[in-house]
Coordinates of all heavy atoms in Angstrom, one line a residue:
M264 N 0.8 -1.2 0.0 CA 0.0 0.0 0.0 C 0.9 1.2 0.0 O 1.4 1.7 1.0 CB -0.9 0.0 1.2 CG -2.0 -1.1 1.2 SD -3.0 -1.0 2.6 CE -1.9 -1.6 3.9
P265 N 1.1 1.8 -1.1 CA 2.0 3.0 -1.2 C 1.3 4.2 -0.7 O 0.1 4.4 -0.7 CB 2.3 3.1 -2.7 CG 1.1 2.5 -3.4 CD 0.6 1.4 -2.5
I266 N 2.2 5.1 -0.1 CA 1.7 6.4 0.3 C 2.2 7.4 -0.7 O 3.4 7.4 -1.0 CB 2.2 6.7 1.7 CG1 1.6 5.7 2.7 CG2 1.9 8.1 2.0 CD1 2.1 6.0 4.1
Y267 N 1.2 8.2 -1.3 CA 1.6 9.2 -2.2 C 1.4 10.5 -1.6 O 0.5 10.7 -0.8 CB 0.8 9.1 -3.4 CG 1.1 7.9 -4.3 CD1 0.1 7.0 -4.7 CD2 2.4 7.6 -4.7 CE1 0.4 5.8 -5.4 CE2 2.7 6.5 -5.5 CZ 1.7 5.6 -5.8 OH 2.0 4.5 -6.5
E268 N 2.2 11.5 -2.0 CA 2.0 12.9 -1.6 C 1.3 13.6 -2.7 O 1.5 13.4 -3.9 CB 3.4 13.6 -1.4 CG 4.1 13.0 -0.2 CD 5.5 13.8 -0.1 OE1 5.5 15.0 -0.3 OE2 6.5 13.1 0.2
Y269 N 0.3 14.3 -2.3 CA -0.5 15.2 -3.2 C -0.5 16.6 -2.8 O -0.2 16.9 -1.7 CB -2.0 14.6 -3.2 CG -2.2 13.3 -3.9 CD1 -2.0 12.1 -3.1 CD2 -2.5 13.2 -5.2 CE1 -2.3 10.9 -3.8 CE2 -2.7 12.0 -5.8 CZ -2.6 10.9 -5.1 OH -2.8 9.6 -5.7
K270 N -0.7 17.4 -3.8 CA -0.9 18.8 -3.6 C -2.1 19.3 -4.3 O -2.3 19.1 -5.4 CB 0.4 19.6 -4.1 CG 0.3 21.1 -3.8 CD 1.6 21.8 -4.2 CE 1.5 23.2 -3.9 NZ 2.7 24.0 -4.3
C271 N -2.9 20.0 -3.5 CA -4.1 20.5 -4.0 C -3.9 21.7 -4.9 O -3.1 22.6 -4.6 CB -5.0 21.0 -2.9 SG -6.6 21.7 -3.4
S272 N -4.5 21.6 -6.1 CA -4.3 22.7 -7.1 C -5.2 23.9 -6.8 O -5.0 25.0 -7.2 CB -4.7 22.2 -8.5 OG -3.8 21.2 -8.9
A273 N -6.2 23.7 -6.0 CA -7.1 24.7 -5.7 C -6.7 25.5 -4.6 O -6.7 26.8 -4.7 CB -8.5 24.1 -5.4
C274 N -6.2 24.9 -3.5 CA -5.9 25.8 -2.3 C -4.4 25.6 -2.0 O -3.9 26.3 -1.1 CB -6.7 25.4 -1.1 SG -6.3 23.8 -0.4
G275 N -3.6 24.7 -2.7 CA -2.2 24.6 -2.4 C -1.9 23.7 -1.2 O -0.7 23.6 -0.8
N276 N -2.8 23.0 -0.7 CA -2.6 22.2 0.5 C -1.9 21.0 0.1 O -2.2 20.3 -0.9 CB -4.0 21.9 1.2 CG -3.8 21.0 2.3 OD1 -2.9 21.1 3.1 ND2 -4.7 20.0 2.5
G277 N -0.9 20.6 0.9 CA -0.1 19.4 0.6 C -0.5 18.4 1.6 O -0.7 18.7 2.8
F278 N -0.7 17.2 1.2 CA -1.1 16.1 2.1 C -0.7 14.7 1.5 O -0.3 14.6 0.4 CB -2.6 16.1 2.3 CG -3.4 15.9 1.0 CD1 -3.9 14.6 0.7 CD2 -3.7 16.9 0.2 CE1 -4.7 14.4 -0.5 CE2 -4.4 16.7 -1.0 CZ -4.9 15.5 -1.4
E279 N -0.7 13.7 2.4 CA -0.4 12.4 2.0 C -1.6 11.5 2.0 O -2.5 11.7 2.8 CB 0.6 11.8 3.0 CG 1.9 12.5 3.0 CD 2.9 12.0 4.1 OE1 2.4 11.2 4.9 OE2 4.0 12.5 4.2
Y280 N -1.7 10.6 1.1 CA -2.8 9.7 1.0 C -2.3 8.3 0.8 O -1.4 8.0 0.0 CB -3.6 10.1 -0.2 CG -4.9 9.3 -0.4 CD1 -6.0 9.6 0.3 CD2 -4.9 8.3 -1.3 CE1 -7.2 8.8 0.2 CE2 -6.1 7.5 -1.5 CZ -7.2 7.8 -0.7 OH -8.3 7.1 -0.9
L281 N -2.8 7.4 1.6 CA -2.4 6.0 1.5 C -3.4 5.2 0.6 O -4.6 5.2 0.9 CB -2.4 5.4 2.9 CG -1.8 4.0 3.1 CD1 -1.2 3.9 4.5 CD2 -2.9 2.9 3.0
H282 N -2.8 4.6 -0.4 CA -3.7 3.9 -1.3 C -3.8 2.4 -0.9 O -2.8 1.7 -0.8 CB -3.1 4.0 -2.7 CG -3.3 5.3 -3.4 ND1 -4.4 5.5 -4.2 CD2 -2.6 6.4 -3.4 CE1 -4.3 6.7 -4.7 NE2 -3.3 7.3 -4.2
F283 N -5.0 2.0 -0.8 CA -5.2 0.5 -0.5 C -5.0 -0.2 -1.8 O -5.0 0.3 -2.9 CB -6.5 0.3 0.1 CG -6.7 0.9 1.5 CD1 -7.2 2.2 1.7 CD2 -6.2 0.1 2.6 CE1 -7.2 2.6 3.0 CE2 -6.3 0.6 3.8 CZ -6.8 1.9 4.1
A284 N -4.9 -1.5 -1.6 CA -4.8 -2.4 -2.8 C -6.0 -2.2 -3.8 O -7.1 -2.4 -3.4 CB -4.7 -3.9 -2.4
G285 N -5.6 -1.9 -5.1 CA -6.6 -1.8 -6.0 C -7.2 -0.4 -6.1 O -8.0 -0.1 -6.9
D286 N -6.9 0.4 -5.2 CA -7.4 1.8 -5.1 C -6.4 2.7 -5.8 O -5.4 3.0 -5.3 CB -7.6 2.2 -3.7 CG -8.1 3.6 -3.6 OD1 -8.6 4.2 -4.7 OD2 -8.0 4.3 -2.6
D287 N -6.8 3.1 -7.0 CA -5.9 4.0 -7.8 C -6.5 5.3 -8.1 O -6.1 6.1 -8.9 CB -5.5 3.3 -9.1 CG -4.2 3.9 -9.7 OD1 -3.5 4.5 -8.9 OD2 -4.0 3.9 -10.9
T288 N -7.6 5.6 -7.4 CA -8.3 6.9 -7.7 C -7.6 8.0 -6.7 O -7.3 7.8 -5.6 CB -9.8 6.7 -7.3 OG1 -9.9 6.3 -5.9 CG2 -10.5 5.7 -8.1
P289 N -7.4 9.1 -7.4 CA -6.8 10.2 -6.6 C -7.8 10.7 -5.6 O -9.0 10.7 -5.8 CB -6.6 11.3 -7.6 CG -7.5 11.0 -8.8 CD -7.6 9.5 -8.8
P290 N -7.3 11.0 -4.4 CA -8.2 11.5 -3.3 C -8.6 13.0 -3.6 O -8.1 13.6 -4.5 CB -7.2 11.5 -2.1 CG -5.9 11.7 -2.7 CD -5.8 11.1 -4.1
R291 N -9.4 13.4 -2.7 CA -9.8 14.8 -2.7 C -9.1 15.5 -1.6 O -8.6 14.9 -0.6 CB -11.4 14.9 -2.4 CG -12.2 14.5 -3.6 CD -13.7 14.5 -3.1 NE -14.6 14.2 -4.2 CZ -15.3 15.1 -4.9 NH1 -15.1 16.4 -4.6 NH2 -16.0 14.7 -5.9
C292 N -8.9 16.8 -1.8 CA -8.2 17.6 -0.8 C -9.0 17.6 0.5 O -10.2 17.8 0.5 CB -8.1 19.1 -1.3 SG -7.4 20.1 -0.1
P293 N -8.3 17.2 1.6 CA -9.0 17.1 2.9 C -9.3 18.5 3.4 O -10.0 18.6 4.4 CB -7.9 16.4 3.8 CG -6.6 16.7 3.1 CD -6.8 16.8 1.7
D294 N -8.7 19.5 2.8 CA -8.9 20.9 3.3 C -10.1 21.6 2.7 O -10.9 22.2 3.3 CB -7.6 21.7 3.1 CG -7.4 22.8 4.1 OD1 -8.0 22.6 5.2 OD2 -6.8 23.8 3.8
C295 N -10.2 21.4 1.3 CA -11.3 22.2 0.6 C -12.1 21.2 -0.2 O -13.0 21.6 -0.9 CB -10.7 23.2 -0.3 SG -9.7 22.6 -1.7
D296 N -11.8 19.9 -0.1 CA -12.6 18.8 -0.8 C -12.6 19.0 -2.3 O -13.5 18.6 -3.0 CB -14.0 18.9 -0.3 CG -14.8 17.6 -0.5 OD1 -14.2 16.5 -0.4 OD2 -16.0 17.6 -0.9
S297 N -11.5 19.6 -2.8 CA -11.4 19.7 -4.3 C -10.8 18.4 -4.8 O -9.8 17.9 -4.3 CB -10.5 20.9 -4.7 OG -10.2 20.9 -6.0
P298 N -11.3 17.9 -6.0 CA -10.7 16.8 -6.6 C -9.5 17.1 -7.5 O -8.9 16.2 -8.0 CB -11.9 16.3 -7.5 CG -12.7 17.5 -7.9 CD -12.6 18.4 -6.6
Q299 N -9.2 18.4 -7.6 CA -8.0 18.8 -8.4 C -6.7 18.7 -7.6 O -6.3 19.7 -7.1 CB -8.3 20.2 -8.9 CG -9.5 20.3 -9.9 CD -9.7 21.7 -10.5 OE1 -9.2 22.6 -9.9 NE2 -10.4 21.8 -11.6
V300 N -6.2 17.5 -7.5 CA -5.0 17.4 -6.8 C -3.9 16.8 -7.7 O -4.2 16.0 -8.6 CB -5.2 16.4 -5.6 CG1 -6.1 17.0 -4.6 CG2 -5.7 15.0 -6.0
E301 N -2.7 17.1 -7.4 CA -1.5 16.6 -8.2 C -0.7 15.7 -7.4 O -0.4 16.0 -6.2 CB -0.7 17.8 -8.7 CG -1.5 18.7 -9.6 CD -0.6 20.0 -9.9 OE1 0.6 20.0 -9.4 OE2 -1.1 20.9 -10.6
R302 N -0.3 14.6 -7.9 CA 0.5 13.7 -7.2 C 2.0 14.2 -7.2 O 2.5 14.5 -8.3 CB 0.4 12.3 -7.8 CG 1.3 11.2 -7.0 CD 1.4 10.0 -7.7 NE 0.1 9.2 -7.8 CZ 0.0 8.1 -8.4 NH1 1.1 7.5 -8.9 NH2 -1.2 7.5 -8.6
Q303 N 2.6 14.2 -6.1 CA 4.0 14.7 -6.0 C 4.9 13.4 -6.0 O 4.5 12.3 -5.6 CB 4.2 15.4 -4.7 CG 3.2 16.5 -4.5 CD 3.4 17.7 -5.6 OE1 4.5 18.3 -5.6 NE2 2.4 17.9 -6.4
L304 N 6.2 13.6 -6.4 CA 7.2 12.6 -6.3 C 7.5 12.4 -4.8 O 7.9 13.4 -4.2 CB 8.4 13.0 -7.2 CG 8.2 13.0 -8.6 CD1 9.4 13.4 -9.3 CD2 7.7 11.6 -9.1
S305 N 7.4 11.2 -4.4 CA 7.7 11.0 -3.0 C 9.1 10.4 -2.8 O 9.6 9.7 -3.6 CB 6.6 10.0 -2.4 OG 6.9 9.7 -1.1
C306 N 9.6 10.7 -1.6 CA 11.0 10.3 -1.3 C 10.9 8.9 -0.5 O 11.8 8.3 -0.4 CB 11.7 11.3 -0.4 SG 12.0 12.8 -1.2
F307 N 9.7 8.6 -0.1 CA 9.6 7.5 0.9 C 9.8 6.2 0.2 O 10.3 5.2 0.8 CB 8.1 7.5 1.4 CG 7.8 8.7 2.3 CD1 6.9 9.6 1.9 CD2 8.5 8.9 3.5 CE1 6.6 10.7 2.6 CE2 8.3 10.0 4.2 CZ 7.3 10.9 3.8
A308 N 9.5 6.1 -1.1 CA 9.7 4.8 -1.8 C 11.1 4.4 -1.9 O 11.4 3.3 -2.1 CB 9.1 5.0 -3.2
K309 N 12.0 5.4 -1.8 CA 13.4 5.1 -2.0 C 14.2 4.8 -0.7 O 15.3 4.4 -0.7 CB 14.1 6.2 -2.7 CG 13.8 6.4 -4.2 CD 14.6 7.5 -4.8 CE 14.2 7.6 -6.3 NZ 15.0 8.6 -7.0
S310 N 13.5 5.0 0.4 CA 14.1 4.9 1.7 C 14.2 3.4 2.1 O 13.6 3.0 3.0 CB 13.4 5.7 2.8 OG 12.0 5.2 2.9
G311 N 15.1 2.7 1.4 CA 15.2 1.3 1.6 C 16.6 1.0 2.2 O 16.7 0.6 3.4
G312 N 17.6 1.1 1.3 CA 18.9 0.6 1.7 C 19.8 1.6 2.4 O 20.6 1.2 3.2
Q313 N 19.6 2.9 2.1 CA 20.5 3.8 2.7 C 20.0 4.6 3.9 O 18.7 4.8 4.0 CB 20.9 4.9 1.6 CG 21.5 4.2 0.4 CD 21.8 5.2 -0.8 OE1 21.4 6.3 -0.7 NE2 22.4 4.7 -1.8
G314 N 20.8 5.0 4.7 CA 20.4 5.8 5.8 C 20.3 7.3 5.5 O 20.5 7.7 4.3
G315 N 19.9 8.1 6.4 CA 19.8 9.5 6.1 C 21.1 10.2 5.8 O 21.2 11.1 5.0
G316 N 22.2 9.7 6.4 CA 23.5 10.3 6.1 C 24.0 10.1 4.7 O 24.6 11.0 4.2
A317 N 23.6 9.0 4.1 CA 24.1 8.8 2.8 C 23.6 9.8 1.8 O 24.2 10.2 0.9 CB 23.6 7.3 2.4
S318 N 22.2 10.1 2.0 CA 21.6 11.1 1.1 C 22.3 12.4 1.2 O 22.4 13.2 0.2 CB 20.1 11.2 1.3 OG 19.8 11.5 2.6
L319 N 22.7 12.8 2.4 CA 23.4 14.0 2.6 C 24.7 14.1 1.9 O 25.1 15.0 1.4 CB 23.6 14.3 4.1 CG 22.3 14.7 4.9 CD1 22.7 14.8 6.4 CD2 21.7 16.0 4.4
G320 N 25.4 12.9 1.9 CA 26.6 12.9 1.2 C 26.4 13.0 -0.2 O 27.3 13.6 -0.9
A321 N 25.4 12.4 -0.8 CA 25.1 12.5 -2.2 C 24.9 13.9 -2.6 O 25.3 14.4 -3.6 CB 23.9 11.7 -2.6
L322 N 24.3 14.7 -1.7 CA 24.0 16.1 -2.0 C 25.3 16.9 -2.0 O 25.5 17.7 -2.8 CB 23.1 16.7 -0.9 CG 21.6 16.4 -1.1 CD1 20.8 17.0 0.1 CD2 21.1 17.0 -2.4
A323 N 26.1 16.5 -1.0 CA 27.4 17.2 -1.0 C 28.3 16.9 -2.2 O 29.1 17.8 -2.6 CB 28.2 16.8 0.3
G324 N 28.1 15.8 -2.8 CA 28.9 15.5 -4.0 C 28.4 16.1 -5.3 O 28.8 15.8 -6.3
G325 N 27.4 17.0 -5.2 CA 26.9 17.6 -6.3 C 25.8 16.9 -7.0 O 25.8 16.6 -8.3
G326 N 24.7 16.6 -6.3 CA 23.6 15.8 -6.9 C 22.7 16.7 -7.7 O 21.7 16.2 -8.3
G327 N 22.9 18.0 -7.8 CA 22.0 18.8 -8.5 C 20.8 19.3 -7.6 O 21.0 19.4 -6.4
G328 N 19.7 19.5 -8.2 CA 18.6 20.1 -7.4 C 17.7 19.0 -6.8 O 16.7 19.4 -6.1
H329 N 18.0 17.8 -7.1 CA 17.0 16.7 -6.6 C 17.4 16.4 -5.2 O 18.5 15.7 -5.0 CB 17.1 15.5 -7.6 CG 16.6 15.8 -8.9 ND1 15.3 16.0 -9.2 CD2 17.3 16.1 -10.0 CE1 15.2 16.3 -10.5 NE2 16.3 16.3 -11.1
S330 N 16.6 16.7 -4.2 CA 16.9 16.4 -2.8 C 16.8 14.9 -2.6 O 17.4 14.4 -1.7 CB 16.1 17.2 -1.9 OG 14.7 17.0 -2.2
C331 N 15.9 14.2 -3.3 CA 15.7 12.9 -2.9 C 16.2 11.9 -4.0 O 16.0 10.7 -4.0 CB 14.3 12.6 -2.6 SG 13.1 13.2 -3.9
G332 N 16.8 12.4 -5.1 CA 17.3 11.6 -6.2 C 18.7 11.2 -6.0 O 19.6 11.8 -6.4
S333 N 18.9 10.1 -5.1 CA 20.3 9.7 -4.9 C 20.7 8.6 -5.8 O 20.5 7.4 -5.5 CB 20.4 9.3 -3.4 OG 19.5 8.3 -3.1
G334 N 21.0 8.9 -7.0 CA 21.4 7.9 -8.0 C 20.3 7.4 -8.9 O 20.5 6.6 -9.7
G335 N 19.1 7.9 -8.7 CA 18.0 7.5 -9.5 C 18.1 8.0 -10.9 O 17.7 7.3 -11.8
F336 N 18.7 9.1 -11.1 CA 18.8 9.6 -12.4 C 20.3 9.6 -12.9 O 21.2 9.9 -12.1 CB 18.4 11.1 -12.5 CG 17.0 11.2 -12.0 CD1 16.8 11.7 -10.7 CD2 15.9 11.0 -12.9 CE1 15.4 11.8 -10.3 CE2 14.7 11.2 -12.4 CZ 14.4 11.6 -11.1
S337 N 20.5 9.1 -14.1 CA 21.9 9.1 -14.5 C 22.1 9.7 -15.9 O 21.1 9.9 -16.5 CB 22.4 7.6 -14.5 OG 21.6 6.9 -15.4
Ligands
LIG177 ZN1 -7.5 22.1 -1.3

């Protein structure tokens, strides 16, 4: 059950939504109940093998503007 980050296009509210199995419908904004939400790229999916310090080291090595892209893009 992945957790996705969404951002409401109507009010700009950011929130997380946990998708249950088979549930692929985007949620509504919990703040203004707008269905116009955008899925954000989440960092949580990558938090598997490396610790927090490793990502900091990748940033120091010149990873560019991606705060959570530690080796994902080449
Ligand atoms: Zn909203």
Side-chain angles (χ1 to χ4, degrees):
M264 292 182 287
I266 296 177
Y267 292 125
E268 292 181 39
Y269 287 88
K270 183 175 182 181
C271 177
S272 299
C274 71
N276 177 42
F278 59 98
E279 297 174 353
Y280 183 80
L281 190 150
H282 283 268
F283 290 95
D286 177 20
D287 198 24
T288 58
R291 287 172 176 262
C292 174
D294 207 27
C295 69
D296 201 37
S297 169
Q299 296 181 339
V300 296
E301 300 176 359
R302 185 190 295 181
Q303 307 291 298
L304 290 178
S305 176
C306 298
F307 298 113
K309 290 185 178 180
S310 62
Q313 300 177 353
S318 59
L319 286 178
L322 279 178
H329 298 282
S330 58
C331 52
S333 59
F336 305 97
S337 60

